Amino acid sequence: MIERDRIEALTELMSELEQDLDRSDSLTGRRHRGVELWVRVVIGLVAALALSNLYFVNDLTDEVRLVITRMQEMNSLFTRVSARMDQISIEIDAIERNVLLMPVVADQMREMSAHVTVMEQSVSFMDRAAARLGDSVAIMDGNLHDIALRFHGLNRSVGAMGVDVNQMARPLP
């Protein structure tokens, strides 16, 4: 009889242990689903951030191209102004020869010619600076293309991480 009481007590203990284990599995499953949901939300947010960064880099690239086009147009205008300044300088030299008899006018013409020469040098300097700026913008365009490729790689890595997290989130058989 003592053995029977012990067996019944052990059976009762085993039943309680089984009920405790069932409750524990239920709580663990809910926690696991919650963690899985948070991981998916975080991966979604990272993917959205990467896509928005890619969009802004692309937009910046378009703006840089527009700036380059405008700089080239401005460079063309400065070239035409420089050519016209050369023509003005030639005309001033011709006028100077015609008015050598008037010393005041001749002095003023020389001063104007000097200013035109300075302006021509400034336009030439601006032309070289615009060319250097064009080269720098081309380098920036290459760097932006590099960044876009890196974001594309990042997007692929985030996608692979999502697959890995989904696989890790599956319950073990």
Side-chain angles (χ1 to χ4, degrees):
M1 184 100 149
I2 293 175
E3 289 296 318
R4 187 178 280 168
D5 289 339
R6 282 179 147 177
I7 290 173
E8 283 179 13
L10 283 174
T11 303
E12 192 176 307
L13 274 172
M14 292 296 276
S15 293
E16 288 176 18
L17 181 61
E18 186 177 2
Q19 289 172 359
D20 287 345
L21 285 173
D22 287 342
R23 275 184 263 145
S24 175
D25 284 344
S26 172
L27 289 174
T28 303
R30 273 189 258 145
R31 286 186 190 136
H32 182 68
R33 285 189 298 275
V35 168
E36 182 179 329
L37 176 66
W38 277 107
V39 167
R40 286 184 182 177
V41 167
V42 168
I43 287 173
L45 290 175
V46 168
L49 181 63
L51 288 175
S52 68
N53 281 343
L54 187 60
Y55 169 78
F56 287 124
V57 166
N58 188 30
D59 192 41
L60 180 62
T61 302
D62 291 342
E63 291 296 324
V64 168
R65 286 185 183 138
L66 181 64
V67 167
I68 290 171
T69 302
R70 296 294 186 246
M71 290 299 293
Q72 289 171 343
E73 290 172 2
M74 193 169 73
N75 187 21
S76 172
L77 290 174
F78 283 138
T79 302
R80 287 195 305 230
V81 167
S82 177
R84 289 179 182 167
M85 290 294 181
D86 288 341
Q87 185 62 34
I88 289 173
S89 180
I90 291 169
E91 294 295 326
I92 288 174
D93 288 341
I95 291 171
E96 185 177 4
R97 284 189 299 274
N98 290 333
V99 292
L100 278 177
L101 298 175
M102 294 187 239
V104 173
V105 174
D107 289 339
Q108 290 176 348
M109 288 300 180
R110 277 190 213 96
E111 185 176 319
M112 285 175 57
S113 178
H115 289 295
V116 168
T117 302
V118 168
M119 287 174 62
E120 183 178 349
Q121 290 170 349
S122 296
V123 168
S124 174
F125 175 76
M126 288 172 64
D127 185 33
R128 288 190 302 273
R132 286 192 303 268
L133 183 60
D135 293 342
S136 297
V137 169
I139 290 170
M140 283 176 52
D141 190 39
N143 290 342
L144 288 173
H145 180 70
D146 251 4
I147 290 170
L149 288 176
R150 289 180 183 173
F151 272 116
H152 183 67
L154 176 65
N155 284 338
R156 276 191 273 127
S157 295
V158 167
M161 282 173 44
V163 170
D164 291 342
V165 167
N166 282 336
Q167 189 174 12
M168 287 189 300
R170 290 187 193 146
L172 293 174

